[in-house]
Structures are given as C-alpha cells and as structure tokens.
Amino acid sequence: MEKILLATLSNDAVERKTATAQIEQLSTQEGYCTRLLHFLSTKPSGAEHTKDIRQMASILFKNAVRQRWFKNQISTSERKMVQDNLLPTLT
C-alpha cells in the first residue's frame, strides 16, 4: 500500500490515475481505515518520502471516516480498532 500512496503523489498523470483507482478499490475493503491508521502511527523510518506518504494516508483516512462512518459502511470490529488506536496515534 505504501507504493500506491506514493504513486498518488507522482508527477506522472497515468501513474497517479492508476494509483487513485487502486485506492478507490481498496477503500471498499475491510480494514482500509485500519491500514491507513497504521501508516499514521508508524514512526518515520528515514525513507525519503515518509512524510508525504503519512500526509496522504492522513487525508485518505479523514475522507474515509467522514464518508463511511456515519453511513455504517465501516464494520463494528474496524470501528473498535480505530477508536482504540486513534488517540494514541495522534499523541
């Protein structure tokens, strides 16, 4: 997923469009929000684009929660995982 997140920031329009389509597809799968939250909670490893990837993950996480949370499109188990890990991730 890291490569897909990085590709969404590409200067190449074709690569960016492909990555965006992959993100759209992943966003409907169970565990999507949890995987994005993992990128937010992981400390930078020194990779060149770590900050950019984390920023993209945070935007996608915010959008997914905003669009799906109140429509009950996020499973109970994933909601619990997000609720349990969100505050520790942000601190």
Side-chain angles (χ1 to χ4, degrees):
M1 186 167 190
E2 184 175 344
K3 290 179 182 180
I4 297 171
L5 291 173
L6 189 56
T8 63
L9 303 168
S10 174
N11 290 330
D12 179 6
V14 173
E15 184 179 5
R16 197 171 52 247
K17 187 173 184 177
T18 302
T20 302
Q22 290 174 322
I23 291 289
E24 290 284 326
Q25 188 176 35
L26 287 172
S27 71
T28 63
Q29 295 178 1
E30 177 74 21
Y32 176 69
C33 291
T34 306
R35 283 181 286 200
L36 292 173
L37 191 60
H38 171 75
F39 280 102
L40 300 177
S41 64
T42 305
K43 300 297 180 211
S45 63
E48 183 179 337
H49 299 289
T50 302
K51 181 180 175 185
D52 298 333
I53 291 169
R54 290 181 74 197
Q55 185 175 26
M56 181 55 71
S58 68
I59 292 167
L60 292 170
F61 177 79
K62 185 251 325 163
N63 289 344
V65 168
R66 188 188 64 185
Q67 293 169 359
R68 299 174 57 212
W69 193 274
F70 297 108
K71 294 179 183 177
N72 292 321
Q73 295 175 341
I74 298 175
S75 71
T76 303
S77 62
E78 188 167 7
R79 284 172 174 262
K80 176 84 170 112
M81 181 72 78
V82 168
Q83 289 170 335
D84 291 346
N85 292 296
L86 185 59
L87 190 57
T89 297
L90 297 176
T91 56

